[in-house]
Amino acid sequence: MRIAIVAESFLPLMNGVTHSILRVLEHLQERGDEVMVIAPSTSDTDVSSVEKGAYVHRLPSVPLAGYTNVRVALGGVNRVKRILADFSPDVVHLASPFVLGWRAVQATHQLGIPTVAIYQTEVPSYAARYGVPFLENWAWNRVDNIHLLATRTLVPSTFALNQLRGRGILRVDMWRRGVDTSRFNPAKRSTAWRSSVAPHGHRIIGYVGRLAVEKQVEDLAVLADLPNTKLVIVGDGPQRAALEAQLPDAHFAGFLGGDALAEAVASFDLFVHPGEFETFCQTIQEAMASGVPVVATGRGGPLDLVENSRTGWLYEPGNLAQLRAYVQDLMGDDAKRRAFAAAATASVQGRTWPVLSADLVRHYNDVIASFARENGPTELTSSKGTSS
């Protein structure tokens, strides 16, 4: 089939949205589908116009204030409409739509092309964390309008499913995220890496993710004085300097990718994630695949991923004393931590990206078929014949 993926963010920016798109592109390339990615432009001149077999159409963009590596695409609905009309896709995949995705869903509606919208980022809830709570209602209105117009919305967790259905968005289904269990696995644990970040043999409490306001990494200060432990922060972002000042004894490893990331995660003794606005939280799943139990906030995606008293602990949002107590519980009991680690690894087996990508293609086919039944042939579909 012909698939257009409209990406709110894409390479060279590496985040959860980009990671998911790349795994999907790999699957579509293996299938032999024709794919185009529409994404914001980048100042990086080394970025290719073809990624995993897909042509990447870059739209002019500007950096987001205060977060310069995040870019916002410029242009109106008609520009996106022309691009889509020229490519004539069977379906349009909207990856975490908000700004560019809003234009794209309007364009597809006008052109009569079915859409699959991926709800991946709880943007409205970021407003209060960034000190602009008056924008939250406006942002929710934008999210509602996008997903009400989309043919089908896919969400990664039960929390997100109930959240959108509670807002009157009914064409919603579940599509979780895959994990590369050959890359993230307990065998990657490295004594040398552990010694490099914790030379005194302390147990390692690790975090992986963007160092941004919405991740609430500063909450980990409650763990700073736990005896015989070392806090390791993997990732980068606009909050790094502030966090280094707040967590002076932590080791900041910076951004890691590929095998270096897999080695680091498998070398943790415990993974912690304090963010309250995760629709899924891929890094939790990667830690579990690596044989590392998890302590995370009990809201959003972690509710589906972490089973209390089996693969980790979920603490009440904002209850940092409980966060500390759960970390102490696992760091102070080697046998319990090993049991949780084994259960965590077992719990993610079978959630590979090929399996999840095949499920996504099933959703594509479903919306193409249902859209044709409900709307009949459109100008675009009539001009190109029946899609394969």
Side-chain angles (χ1 to χ4, degrees):
M1 67 180 79
R2 292 171 68 82
I3 303 154
I5 298 178
V6 180
E8 207 70 44
S9 63
F10 194 55
L11 295 173
L13 178 63
M14 198 63 192
N15 56 23
V17 176
T18 303
H19 177 79
S20 295
I21 293 170
L22 292 175
R23 300 292 78 78
V24 169
L25 288 178
E26 288 172 355
H27 186 76
L28 299 179
Q29 184 178 31
E30 289 178 3
R31 279 172 40 90
D33 296 311
E34 294 182 64
V35 186
M36 176 178 68
V37 176
I38 302 174
S41 65
T42 172
S43 57
D44 190 337
T45 57
D46 293 331
V47 174
S48 173
S49 62
V50 176
E51 185 64 41
K52 301 188 185 302
Y55 169 66
V56 183
H57 188 116
R58 298 280 183 174
L59 290 174
S61 67
V62 293
L64 186 65
Y67 210 160
T68 54
N69 62 337
V70 176
R71 300 187 69 87
V72 179
L74 302 174
V77 174
N78 285 336
R79 184 169 195 164
V80 178
K81 186 178 175 180
R82 286 194 298 271
I83 297 167
L84 290 174
D86 288 343
F87 183 64
S88 190
D90 297 301
V91 65
V92 174
H93 171 135
L94 306 172
S96 195
F98 193 73
V99 178
L100 179 55
W102 172 230
R103 297 175 201 142
V105 77
Q106 293 176 84
T108 56
H109 186 69
Q110 293 172 24
L111 290 167
I113 305 172
T115 50
V116 174
I118 312 297
Y119 178 65
Q120 193 162 340
T121 310
E122 195 179 326
V123 174
S125 297
Y126 290 6
R129 295 291 305 175
Y130 279 88
V132 284
F134 54 89
L135 290 178
E136 185 170 359
N137 285 339
W138 172 84
W140 272 121
N141 286 335
R142 169 62 60 82
V143 169
D144 291 346
N145 289 335
I146 289 170
H147 294 287
L148 286 169
L149 209 54
T151 313
R152 179 176 297 180
T153 290
L154 299 180
V155 296
S157 63
T158 305
F159 179 89
L161 184 76
N162 294 333
Q163 185 180 49
L164 292 192
R165 284 183 175 170
R167 299 190 65 82
I169 299 164
L170 304 181
R171 295 191 301 274
V172 185
D173 209 338
M174 189 82 79
W175 179 60
R176 301 189 188 277
R177 301 294 179 269
V179 61
D180 186 345
T181 52
S182 61
R183 177 181 167 205
F184 292 96
N185 69 74
K188 298 293 179 69
R189 188 176 176 90
S190 167
T191 301
W193 190 90
R194 288 173 58 81
S195 297
S196 71
V197 300
H200 301 295
H202 291 162
R203 295 186 179 91
I204 296 173
I205 304 168
Y207 164 86
V208 177
R210 272 195 330 277
L211 304 187
V213 171
E214 70 274 10
K215 299 297 183 179
Q216 300 172 240
V217 184
E218 67 277 6
D219 289 353
L220 300 183
V222 74
L223 309 176
D225 63 344
L226 288 179
N228 300 315
T229 66
K230 182 69 174 182
L231 185 60
V232 175
I233 309 294
V234 177
D236 211 341
Q239 293 296 108
R240 179 166 178 173
L243 288 168
E244 287 178 335
Q246 291 172 294
L247 302 167
D249 295 325
H251 175 82
F252 284 78
F255 176 83
L256 298 178
D259 290 338
L261 176 61
E263 179 184 61
V265 174
S267 300
F268 295 161
D269 293 297
L270 182 68
F271 183 86
V272 289
H273 200 291
E276 296 175 19
F277 305 116
E278 299 296 314
T279 59
F280 185 71
C281 201
Q282 179 68 2
T283 55
I284 285 180
Q285 192 166 239
E286 290 168 351
M288 295 170 78
S290 302
V292 181
V294 174
V295 176
T297 186
R299 183 187 185 278
L303 292 169
D304 284 356
L305 295 173
V306 181
E307 185 178 346
N308 259 331
S309 194
R310 183 171 175 270
T311 62
W313 290 111
L314 295 169
Y315 67 93
E316 298 170 3
N319 190 341
L320 300 187
Q322 192 177 45
L323 162 61
R324 181 183 170 95
Y326 282 150
V327 170
Q328 284 180 303
D329 173 67
L330 288 173
M331 297 305 270
D333 189 333
D334 290 347
K336 179 186 281 190
R337 194 173 63 253
R338 284 194 294 268
F340 277 36
T345 303
S347 73
V348 300
Q349 300 308 305
R351 298 184 193 171
T352 64
W353 270 111
V355 170
L356 273 294
S357 296
D359 190 39
L360 178 63
V361 171
R362 178 184 63 79
H363 285 292
Y364 289 163
N365 283 316
D366 283 353
V367 299
I368 291 169
S370 64
F371 193 87
R373 285 194 304 269
E374 294 170 12
N375 299 277
T378 65
E379 183 179 341
L380 272 178
T381 56
S382 296
S383 66
K384 67 184 178 183
T386 305
S387 63
S388 58

